[in-house]
Amino acid sequence: MDNLRGIVLLVFAMACFAIEDLFIKTASAEVPSGQILALLGVGGTIFFGVWTVASGQRLFQPAALHRTVILRNLGEMIGTISFVTAITTSALSTSTAIFQAAPLATTLAAAVFLKEPVGWRRWSAIVVGFIGVMLIIRPGSQAFEPASLFALGAVIGLAGRDVATRVLPKEVSTLAISCYAFAVVAIAGVFLQVVADQPITSMSAASWRDVGLALLFSLGGYYSLTAAMRIGEMGVIMPFRYTRLIFAMIIGLTFFNERPDALTYVGAAIIITSGLYTLFRERKQRLRRLSTPSGTR
């Protein structure tokens, strides 16, 4: 039952994030991306902060200063800045396709930092998956978009976030974690505004509407994702993360007339296939370890 709930929550989160991207990209035609991020971060911090307190939970806890919480927030900051920059400066479908390499990067990071066992098959799948990323980016060719490299930054940052989520202290609630994450997004927006020298822009009613709807779907998606990762088995629920690409391609075609070329589809298919195989092997190895009697090999 937990796995089914996790799958439903994850698919819902992916749909929410794809719709959020639509409104962020639409708003970015008039409003700097740093300003959009700051507004989303402040709105999310207030929402989850009030919810946490109303639920009788402590908002500020000693465990909030645990290194895994700090590392998670750092990954959130890097990943969010990178991905928002990617979708506002390049095609939504292309950026999202590259972003599908995040589960592969998560497996890689878990092997390096959490010492999780990864055999040669999964290492091979990771390498093949990143070959798929290169097919989409195509550095050095005429089709190369430098802005697409920001999507790689998002892969790195959010993979770090997801690995840290696996080892968060149990006493830190999902609501508090979500509040911290949005506070970091607000800081990231201000940082981007300053570094990119983006002026604060007055916003039209349409821009406020787009940012408000982006916040609404971001809140639903973020909480659903965090909850899914904490209640479901990673090997079971994570394949459904790839539904985000389906949602993004439908939105890209419908609202932005994006038509990815054949190599982009091939690269995306390679990434997804590699990711699914990696998740399959992770689940198989986990089941094998659970079925092996203690004290035997």
Side-chain angles (χ1 to χ4, degrees), residues 10-249:
L10 192 60
V11 172
F12 178 74
M14 295 304 102
C16 285
F17 286 140
I19 298 172
E20 177 199 7
D21 295 341
L22 161 64
F23 288 116
I24 289 176
K25 189 172 180 66
T26 302
S28 69
E30 296 182 8
V31 184
S33 54
Q35 186 172 333
I36 295 172
L37 275 181
L39 290 171
L40 293 177
V42 170
T45 302
I46 294 173
F47 178 84
F48 280 111
V50 171
W51 191 357
T52 302
V53 174
S55 300
Q57 302 174 24
R58 293 178 58 189
L59 183 59
F60 302 103
Q61 307 169 15
L65 299 178
H66 192 277
R67 67 177 183 274
T68 56
V69 178
I70 294 173
L71 288 172
R72 186 186 192 280
N73 289 336
L74 181 60
E76 186 78 54
M77 178 182 288
I78 295 171
T80 302
I81 289 177
S82 299
F83 190 67
V84 168
T85 303
I87 65 173
T88 56
T89 56
S90 62
L92 174 62
S93 52
T94 300
S95 298
T96 306
I98 296 171
F99 187 64
Q100 300 315 300
L104 294 171
T106 300
T107 298
L108 174 61
V112 174
F113 297 107
L114 302 183
K115 307 303 180 184
E116 292 188 3
V118 175
W120 68 268
R121 293 180 180 86
R122 277 186 285 170
W123 281 117
S124 299
I126 291 171
V127 172
V128 171
F130 280 101
I131 290 174
V133 172
M134 291 299 104
L135 283 177
I136 297 173
I137 297 176
R138 279 163 273 176
S141 71
Q142 291 184 344
F144 173 61
E145 287 186 76
S148 63
L149 293 176
F150 285 109
L152 272 181
V155 168
I156 295 170
L158 296 182
R161 179 199 69 183
D162 290 347
V163 168
T165 300
R166 297 188 186 187
V167 291
L168 286 175
K170 296 295 184 183
E171 60 268 27
V172 184
S173 70
T174 297
L175 288 176
I177 291 167
S178 300
C179 181
Y180 303 155
F182 273 94
V184 168
V185 169
I187 295 171
V190 174
F191 176 80
L192 182 60
Q193 194 91 359
V194 172
V195 171
D197 195 23
Q198 299 175 343
I200 297 177
T201 304
S202 59
M203 296 172 58
S204 64
S207 295
W208 280 110
R209 177 204 63 203
D210 290 338
V211 172
L213 288 171
L215 175 61
L216 177 64
F217 284 101
S218 177
L219 292 174
Y222 197 90
Y223 181 78
S224 299
L225 172 63
T226 305
M229 293 181 67
R230 299 189 83 175
I231 67 174
E233 294 179 55
M234 297 291 287
V236 175
I237 70 171
M238 287 306 288
F240 293 89
R241 191 169 188 165
Y242 293 111
T243 56
R244 181 170 182 170
L245 180 57
I246 298 173
F247 296 131
M249 287 188 165

